[in-house]
Structures are given as structure tokens and as C-alpha cells.
Amino acid sequence: MDLEDELQRLFKDERLDVRVASDAESNVVAGAHRLRRRRMVAMSAAGVLSAAVLAGGALVLTQSGPQSSGVATPPSDLPIDSTQPTAAGPSPETSVTTAPSPPEPVSKSTSSPVDSPGATKPTAQPPASKPGVILGPTGDGTTRLGDTQKDLESAKRVPTTAKEPAGCTSFPTRSATGTAYIGQSGKVVAIVYRSEATTPENITIGSTADSVKGAYRDFTGSTATVPGNTAAKYKFTFASGKVTSIALLANQQDCVS
Amino acid sequence: MTVGTLNPAVGESYGVDDFGEFVQAALPGLLRYGHALTGNPHDAADLVQTVLEKLGSRWARVVRNTGDPLAYARRAMANTHISRWRRTRRENLVAELPDIPAAAARDRFDNEPLWQALRALPKRQRAVIVLRYYEGLSEAEIAAALGVSTGTVKSQASKAMASLRTRMRATEEGRC
């Protein structure tokens, strides 16, 4: 018996046919639309938010458009409306009180000047989301800044088909909850999490802007230097005064703005 | 549609708005291919649905950049199956499957020792065999599709063929 012929015969067998469901096409098209919409919302909201955070000194009051609150609290148009926990958002524990009180962050941060940036601070409210992976000074434990595409591929990781800036490729992280970006250098230059990640300084998705300020003394409202790695920085985005994404970025990179 | 090969015309010349049309034309072939790849119709339906939804969500880009969405879908299925497959099973939406769960164990190829032997192969070896003998790809094409070296394809293929031969011989002897 010739095995190759047998294989070819087997693969031509009509018993391999699977009957297509009558509504399969519309189901798939609907599923694709859903995926696409989810991605668009996440992308535009993250962009708007980080711009808002950069521009305004008063972090918490700047977002007002319905678009900008899309990520954290999908069902509500305004951040202060979100008194009810929502399972969909990364911060189910949204509290009303942080939003309308701009002077508070100032007084709080001056009242605790002895806090050292490295220590884990009780200033953070218990974060609502899962702690997930530790996004440390050089990476998340399985993916590190500087890893090559080959490294990722040899770990059987498959690039996403996401549209990235020129020269950039993205891979899901090992946990599949984050994204690693490979830049023109051919190395990982950015690792971004929108859920289930915590820094060694105990900042996680859902931490308040105040606690970020407490943990990173040079926090600018958007970025902070990484304790233990001068070649990288953390970048945070916020919604309703709470962290919605944590990125570990190489100082030189063009993949994540 | 004739069985055995996927209609080569399906993958060509789709416009940006034609995703639905593409799905309709490609589904029978992809489900069949998925069946060969995964070894059972349920996983085939899961795999096809996952890959097509993802592809559809980036349809314009896939059409523009690859020019051949069908080839892209087949590569994506092989890679998805090898890499991160096997999460919880989803509700099946794309295929008409027999209801009885037992049918998964006792499937249509019950009396087909070669099919049973194929099912026993590790996923990557099986994918190499399917790409080689179902898709008719060369070793270099398989390497490109799976993102591995030609050497890996060669060694996986020869390991797979060896264990298929061993198993087939065992069943034949068992029959005597």
C-alpha cells in the first residue's frame, strides 16, 4: 500500500464534507462586525483619552464626549453617571466621588511627601480588576522588551492581523490579554495591557490617577520612568480618573503613540 | 461544488464590500479543510467561524494586502489550529452537525484506520500532512504558511509518515 496515495484518496473522500448551516453566512458577517466595532471603540477611545490626559492638568474632569468614555463604561455617556458597576468595563468599581473634586489630588499628594516611589503604597484603593501579569521593568515575564520576532515565533506565537503603524507588527502576549509590538528594529519595543496587568509598584487597571502619581514621582499625567530600567517608560491611559491601560514602552519606538 | 480541492476562483478578485459573498462561496471548502485539519466536524466549525470572523473584521485590509483572502483564511486556520486552539467550545453557528455527542467519538470515518491514525498525530504534524496531501502544497510553501523552516517541515512530515506507517501496519496485522 502506498501511504501517499492513501492519504490523497482519504482527503478526497466525500465524508469529509461538513454541511453548512443555513444562516452561517449572516452569523459570520455579524460576528465580524461585532469584532470590528469592539476594536474601533477601543482604539478611538484610547486615543482620545490619552490626548485628553496629556492636555489637561486636571485629569479627571476633561473627558466629556460620549466617545471618550466608551472603553471604561460602555453603557453610560458621561463618566459621572456610572454609579452602577458594569461587568463590561475594566473598572466595575467606578466611584462617583473621584470625578468632581479637582483640588483633592493636590492636597493628597502634598500630604504624603515621604512616600518613596518604589514602595507599594496603601494610597491606592483596592483595584477592582484582576491583577493578572506583572508588567515589570523589562517585560511581562514571558515577553521582554528587546525580544526578536524570532523569539516570539519560536514560542509559537502568531502575529495579529491588526493594522499597525509602518514597520510595526503586533503579537498577542502569552496571556493573550495584552499586545506586544515589534518595531523597525525587529525587536519588541512596546507591551500594552488593557486588562489583567499590574506594575511592580502595584498600579493596575482600575487604579486611580492619584495612586499612579503616588507610585511614580515623575508621573507627567501620561508617562513615568520605569524604576529599574532607564531605557523604558510606563504610559498610562485613564477614564474617569482610573487607569484603563498600562504600556511599557522603549524610549525609542514608533509603534505606540 | 466538487469535493477534494477548493475552488481556486473563490479566493480571487473580491471587493471591499464582498465579505458575505466570500463567506458563502468559501464555507463548504473551508469546513471540509477544517475537518481534515482538526479531525472532527465540530472543531472544524469552531475553527472556521473563529478565523472567518477575525478575517471579516479586517476584510478590506486582507483583500488589499494579500489579494487572496481564501489562501489567507486557510493559512490562518492551520496556524490557529496549531497555536492557540482549544479553548472552550463555542456555540456552533456555521455547520449542521449531528446532535448526539457520541457522534464525535464514533464519527463517519470509524472504519478508516488511516483516519484514526491521522487523528492520533500531534497537531503540527497533522497540519503538515494536510497541507501537503490535501492542499497539495510543496515543502517550501508549507514552511511559509506555518512560519517555520523547511527543515522543520521535512522532519515533521517524515515523523508523521513514519508513525502513520507504524499504525497502519499494526492495524493490518491485527486484522489477520
Side-chain angles (χ1 to χ4, degrees), chain B residues 1 7 18 24 45 57 80 84 86 89 92 97 105 107 111 116 118 132 134 144 153-154 159 168 170:
Chain B
M1 180 176 179
N7 176 2
D18 302 339
Q24 199 155 31
S57 74
T80 306
R84 56 206 301 202
R86 271 285 162 216
R89 178 164 286 164
N92 163 59
L97 302 169
D107 75 6
N111 302 318
Q116 303 301 336
L118 267 175
R132 178 76 191 85
Y134 184 101
V153 172
K154 278 192 182 129
K159 267 187 213 161
M168 294 300 283

Side-chain angles (χ1 to χ4, degrees), chain B residues 34 50 52 55 59 66 87-88 92 95 104 110 122 126 154 158 176:
Chain B
T50 305
L52 279 184
L55 186 152
W59 176 248
T66 70
R87 288 158 304 179
T88 49
N92 163 59
D110 239 8
R126 184 185 173 109
K154 278 192 182 129
S158 76
C176 297

Side-chain angles (χ1 to χ4, degrees), chain A residues 1, chain B residues 110-114 168-176:
Chain A
M1 178 202 68
Chain B
D110 239 8
N111 302 318
E112 194 73 68
L114 181 55
M168 294 300 283
R169 209 172 300 133
T171 42
E172 267 167 33
E173 279 161 11
R175 267 184 202 155
C176 297

Side-chain angles (χ1 to χ4, degrees), chain A residues 1-221:
Chain A
M1 178 202 68
D2 184 341
L3 185 54
E4 302 198 355
D5 290 347
E6 281 289 299
L7 280 168
Q8 270 157 358
R9 178 194 59 77
L10 180 70
F11 286 146
K12 288 202 178 88
D13 197 304
E14 62 181 19
R15 283 174 297 175
L16 266 183
D17 283 340
V18 179
R19 273 173 62 205
V20 179
S22 53
D23 48 358
E25 181 201 334
S26 53
N27 282 331
V28 169
V29 172
H33 279 167
R34 221 167 24 241
L35 270 186
R36 184 178 176 79
R37 232 177 5 248
R38 215 180 296 158
R39 191 170 59 238
M40 301 297 248
V41 167
M43 271 164 44
S44 67
V48 169
L49 280 176
S50 61
V53 167
L54 272 176
L59 308 174
V60 284
L61 286 179
T62 44
Q63 342 97 4
S64 55
Q67 226 189 345
S68 58
S69 59
V71 163
T73 55
S76 73
D77 282 346
L78 292 168
I80 47 170
D81 285 341
S82 52
T83 44
Q84 291 151 345
T86 55
S91 56
E93 223 191 34
T94 319
S95 86
V96 214
T97 51
T98 51
S101 56
E104 200 194 2
V106 181
S107 62
K108 216 175 194 175
S109 64
T110 49
S111 69
S112 56
V114 284
D115 296 344
S116 74
T120 54
K121 282 294 109 202
T123 50
Q125 298 160 322
S129 63
K130 281 203 242 171
V133 303
I134 301 292
L135 189 56
T138 56
D140 65 9
T142 46
T143 309
R144 285 173 303 275
L145 294 180
D147 278 356
T148 62
Q149 180 146 355
K150 235 185 180 147
D151 292 336
L152 298 191
E153 278 166 353
S154 65
K156 308 231 177 70
R157 309 256 290 276
V158 183
T160 69
T161 50
K163 185 174 171 62
E164 309 298 357
C168 299
T169 317
S170 60
F171 283 75
T173 59
R174 183 69 167 278
S175 63
T177 49
T179 309
Y181 294 83
I182 291 192
Q184 271 162 349
S185 58
K187 294 182 172 166
V188 172
V189 291
I191 304 173
V192 182
Y193 278 87
R194 296 202 159 76
S195 65
E196 297 182 28
T198 307
T199 70
E201 292 74 32
N202 231 11
I203 297 301
T204 188
I205 307 293
S207 292
T208 62
D210 283 353
S211 61
V212 176
K213 218 180 287 175
Y216 303 100
R217 301 319 271 304
D218 67 339
F219 177 61
T220 61

Side-chain angles (χ1 to χ4, degrees), chain B residues 23-162:
Chain B
V23 170
Q24 199 155 31
L27 257 181
L30 289 181
L31 280 169
R32 204 184 135 76
Y33 169 62
H35 192 184
L37 204 55
T38 61
N40 77 71
H42 295 268
D43 284 348
D46 264 8
L47 181 61
V48 168
Q49 190 184 340
T50 305
V51 166
L52 279 184
E53 282 179 358
K54 228 177 245 170
L55 186 152
S57 74
R58 306 181 188 282
W59 176 248
R61 182 158 177 265
V62 171
V63 169
R64 205 172 47 238
N65 291 3
T66 70
D68 186 351
L70 185 61
Y72 182 91
R74 282 177 291 178
R75 282 199 306 273
M77 280 172 63
N79 280 308
T80 306
H81 180 58
I82 291 171
S83 60
R84 56 206 301 202
W85 197 231
R86 271 285 162 216
R87 288 158 304 179
T88 49
R89 178 164 286 164
R90 306 172 57 178
E91 182 196 7
N92 163 59
L93 297 173
V94 295
E96 302 268 6
L97 302 169
D99 290 336
I100 330 115
R106 293 188 53 242
D107 75 6
R108 289 171 267 184
F109 288 97
D110 239 8
N111 302 318
E112 194 73 68
L114 181 55
W115 180 256
Q116 303 301 336
L118 267 175
R119 283 178 97 163
L121 290 180
K123 282 179 185 174
R124 189 198 289 258
Q125 288 183 22
R126 184 185 173 109
V128 168
I129 295 298
V130 169
L131 290 173
R132 178 76 191 85
Y133 295 103
Y134 184 101
E135 292 269 68
L137 297 188
S138 69
E139 281 171 347
E141 286 168 325
I142 296 171
L146 298 183
V148 298
S149 70
T150 343
T152 307
V153 172
K154 278 192 182 129
S155 70
Q156 297 276 311
S158 76
K159 267 187 213 161
M161 292 303 266

